[in-house]
Amino acid sequence: EHTSPMTTTIFLLRHAHTTASPHYAPDFNWPLDRLGQTQAGQLVTVLGDLGIEGIYSSPQTRAMETTAPYAEATGIPAQAVDGLAECAFNRVWAVDFLDLVRRHWSDFDYSMPNCESHRMCQSRFLRTLHEIAGANFGKALICCSGGQAISLALQSIDPSVGYEDWANISAPDIYKLDWDGERLGWDRSYVFGGPESLLSD
């Protein structure tokens, strides 16, 4: 029992494992790698225990491929939503990737040309979550995206969330949020076992 008539439950799903490559610049729309494809299949059992009634995803390939096995298994269509896309914080391959991410966490208004600041991403992502939750009041949903967008959603609830928390998000990962019609809350009683829990099945 994950929902009540008064709340919408959103399970933020970070996409399964990928192998990043400059080959995919400037959009960085890479697919899951072989491990990620295996994980996506194994997630069917995990997600099946959550009472999911709707599947929403970033349109990026790695997110859509993460939700695809569960959508196929349940017959619930995975709906691509632009507002759930990962933070568009870079357009060129960054050799100092972690330093770039750290700078974004230290200054939410920093952005490179034609890129998204953390504040812009957080605002866009939260607005989208509220819209999805409002359209599915009382249901349990999946919203699949990237690690930065998800971390920024968590930071909006708990301002202590920062760079180290982003760095510790696994691929895949799941966080449970509850929406009461006005604001999002983070239900920390739900803890995903991490990729290791999938591989041990």
Side-chain angles (χ1 to χ4, degrees):
E1 297 296 323
H2 292 285
T3 62
S4 76
M6 299 303 293
T7 62
T8 304
T9 299
I10 296 176
F11 289 97
L12 291 179
L13 171 63
R14 199 263 177 109
H15 60 74
H17 199 269
T18 64
T19 301
S21 168
H23 171 73
Y24 295 100
D27 298 317
F28 299 116
N29 187 22
W30 45 67
L32 298 181
D33 57 20
R34 185 172 298 179
L35 172 59
Q37 291 169 355
T38 299
Q39 291 173 333
Q42 293 170 327
L43 279 170
V44 172
T45 300
V46 175
L47 299 175
D49 294 333
L50 303 180
I52 301 298
E53 298 170 85
I55 305 172
Y56 296 85
S57 175
S58 160
Q60 291 158 307
T61 303
R62 56 193 180 276
M64 292 297 293
E65 288 185 352
T66 298
T67 59
Y70 185 73
E72 182 176 353
T74 60
I76 302 171
Q79 302 182 52
V81 180
D82 289 342
L84 292 180
E86 173 63 305
C87 185
F89 74 104
N90 62 327
R91 300 285 292 170
V92 296
W93 185 255
V95 176
D96 53 350
F97 175 76
L98 294 180
D99 286 340
L100 179 60
V101 177
R102 193 177 286 110
R103 180 167 182 181
H104 275 264
W105 278 103
S106 65
D107 180 358
F108 268 43
D109 293 309
Y110 171 76
S111 68
M112 297 194 298
N114 302 312
C115 294
E116 214 174 19
S117 69
H118 266 191
R119 196 175 309 282
M120 292 165 61
C121 174
Q122 186 180 58
S123 176
R124 179 255 301 167
F125 194 71
L126 289 173
R127 182 171 61 250
T128 304
L129 291 180
H130 280 264
E131 290 171 354
I132 291 172
N136 294 275
F137 200 58
K139 295 183 179 180
L141 314 169
I142 295 168
C143 288
C144 185
S145 187
Q148 287 194 73
I150 289 174
S151 298
L152 289 168
L154 299 178
Q155 192 275 341
S156 75
I157 301 169
D158 178 356
S160 72
V161 170
Y163 171 83
E164 295 297 334
D165 301 279
W166 165 81
N168 287 323
I169 286 188
S170 62
D173 213 335
I174 305 173
Y175 297 85
K176 182 185 178 187
L177 305 184
D178 292 307
W179 185 77
D180 64 4
E182 295 184 3
R183 58 181 58 86
L184 289 165
W186 180 0
D187 183 352
R188 297 178 191 246
S189 68
Y190 175 82
V191 178
F192 173 59
E196 298 79 8
S197 67
L198 299 177
L199 297 176
S200 64
D201 287 347

